[in-house]
Amino acid sequence: MTMPEQMNVLITGCSSGIGYSLARDFRQRRHRVFASARRPESLTELKAENFDIVALDVTDPASIQHAVDEVLAAAGRIDMLINNAGFGLFGPTIELPLPEIRRQFETNVVGALALIQAVVPHMVKHGFGRIVNVTSVSAVLTTPFAGAYCASKAAMQSFSEALRMELAPLGVDVVAVQPGAIQSRFGDNAASLTGQFGGPGSLYHPIAEFLIKRAQTSQENATPTDEFSRTLVDLLTQPVPPRLIRLGEGSTRFPLLKRLMPEGMLDRMLMKRFGLELLRAKLKEKAK
C-alpha cells in the first residue's frame, strides 16, 4: 500500500515544544492529528482548536493500550507514530539516583518501544506505517553531566536502526530524527531537575554552576520550533523519507566534531566547557 494522501498521525509529548508544533503543522497539511500527553489538561490550546486529544502516559502499559484503542476506534488505523515524549536528566553520573536513571530510560526508551509494539501490528495489517523516533544530537556526542540523557537517546537511536531493517519487509518505515538546539522549555525543565545536584555534599560542588549550564545548553542559539517542525513535516511526508534527519542548531556540526576530532582533544574541549578542568585545578589547590 502506498502512503495515504491524508494520514492519521499519533504524536506523543504535545504539551509544548516540538510535539505541539508538529501537531499544528501536520494539521495544516490536512492530516488528522491525535495529540497526546501524559496530562491531557496541558493540551487546552489544541483542544480548543478541535484537535483529537489523547491521554497517554508512555510509562503505563494500560495507558498505552487505551490510547491506541481510542485512536483506532476513532480513525480505523494509525499511519504514523511520532515518539517525541521524553525528558532530560542532567547531573554527575555517579550522583544520579538510580530510580531517576530508571525513569529516564522508562520514559525515553522503554515507553517509546512499548508504543511501537502496540502500533506496528495494526500498521502491518493495513500495509503501511511510518515510525518516527525523536532522538537527539546527544545520541552521537556525549557531554559531561548528561550521561543518562545521552545514553537514553543513543539507545533509542540503536533501536531505531534495528527496527528500520526489521520492519522494512513488513511495509513499515522507521525514521530517526536527531534535533540540535530547538527553542523550547526543555532547558528550563532540565535545569529545575538539575538543581538538586551540586550541593555542599557533592564532589562537584566547586563547579555547581556548570551543572545548570549543561542543562541549559540546548537553548543556546536555538532554532525556532516552527521552523524546525515545518521542515521536518516536509521530510516525513515524502513517499520515501530519509532514514536519518538532522535539523536545528548544531545537529550536523556536533556529529562532525565527534567523527573528525581526536578523542583526547574532544574530551579536553568538553571538560573545559563544562568546568571539569576548573574542578581539577581546585582539587589540586586543595590538596597542597
Side-chain angles (χ1 to χ4, degrees):
M1 179 180 173
T2 57
M3 183 178 74
E5 196 168 309
Q6 291 185 316
M7 289 188 286
N8 300 318
V9 184
L10 172 59
I11 308 174
T12 67
C14 291
S15 59
S16 64
I18 289 174
Y20 176 87
S21 191
L22 284 174
R24 296 180 67 87
D25 277 319
F26 272 105
R27 174 83 170 270
Q28 287 175 0
R29 315 289 177 93
R30 301 187 181 279
H31 300 291
R32 185 173 183 181
V33 176
F34 291 84
S36 75
R38 182 171 55 88
R39 295 180 298 103
E41 64 271 18
S42 66
L43 303 176
T44 51
E45 283 188 42
L46 296 179
K47 187 175 182 179
E49 296 176 33
N50 295 317
F51 276 79
D52 290 286
I53 302 301
V54 180
L56 175 52
D57 180 350
V58 299
T59 66
D60 181 351
S63 177
I64 289 172
Q65 191 58 58
H66 185 271
V68 170
D69 290 344
E70 185 179 337
V71 176
L72 291 173
R77 67 179 196 273
I78 298 172
D79 301 306
M80 185 182 297
L81 166 65
I82 301 180
N83 278 311
N84 169 68
F87 75 97
L89 176 63
F90 295 90
T93 304
I94 62 168
E95 296 179 0
L96 294 176
L98 290 178
E100 287 299 303
I101 293 176
R102 291 190 183 98
R103 188 168 74 95
Q104 176 80 110
F105 277 81
E106 284 291 334
T107 304
N108 290 10
V109 183
V110 179
L113 292 173
L115 198 47
I116 290 169
Q117 290 182 352
V119 165
V120 162
H122 302 284
M123 291 179 167
V124 173
K125 179 181 176 181
H126 288 282
F128 174 85
R130 190 158 290 174
I131 304 292
V132 181
N133 294 323
V134 180
T135 66
S136 170
V137 69
S138 295
V140 181
L141 182 67
T142 301
T143 58
F145 307 132
Y149 177 69
C150 294
S152 73
K153 290 302 185 179
M156 204 60 225
Q157 180 64 38
S158 291
F159 275 122
S160 298
E161 292 170 10
L163 287 163
R164 185 180 69 229
M165 294 180 281
E166 294 168 3
L167 296 180
L170 303 177
V172 178
D173 302 320
V174 178
V175 180
V177 180
Q178 292 181 354
I182 308 299
Q183 286 178 1
S184 70
R185 296 203 305 265
F186 181 86
D188 293 335
N189 294 338
S192 67
L193 287 172
T194 306
Q196 62 187 297
F197 305 114
S202 169
L203 294 171
Y204 298 88
H205 180 61
I207 57 166
E209 70 272 19
F210 286 91
L211 306 187
I212 302 298
K213 179 179 179 179
R214 173 58 191 93
Q216 295 174 332
T217 294
S218 66
Q219 293 306 293
E220 293 179 2
N221 302 312
T223 298
T225 313
D226 55 353
E227 177 185 322
F228 168 85
S229 63
R230 277 197 305 270
T231 305
L232 182 55
V233 172
D234 285 342
L235 294 169
L236 294 179
T237 52
Q238 292 179 358
V240 180
R243 293 178 175 86
L244 173 65
I245 297 172
R246 287 175 173 156
L247 291 172
E249 174 66 24
S251 61
T252 55
R253 183 173 74 255
F254 293 142
L256 197 61
L257 274 177
K258 176 69 175 177
R259 185 160 64 90
L260 298 179
M261 186 175 283
E263 201 166 71
M265 187 182 298
L266 183 59
D267 281 358
R268 288 191 296 274
M269 183 187 79
L270 292 172
M271 288 174 70
K272 182 177 181 181
R273 176 171 172 75
F274 295 109
L276 289 162
E277 289 291 349
L278 181 61
L279 176 63
R280 177 181 287 166
K282 285 179 178 290
L283 291 175
K284 282 183 178 179
E285 185 178 319
K286 186 178 179 180
K288 287 180 181 178

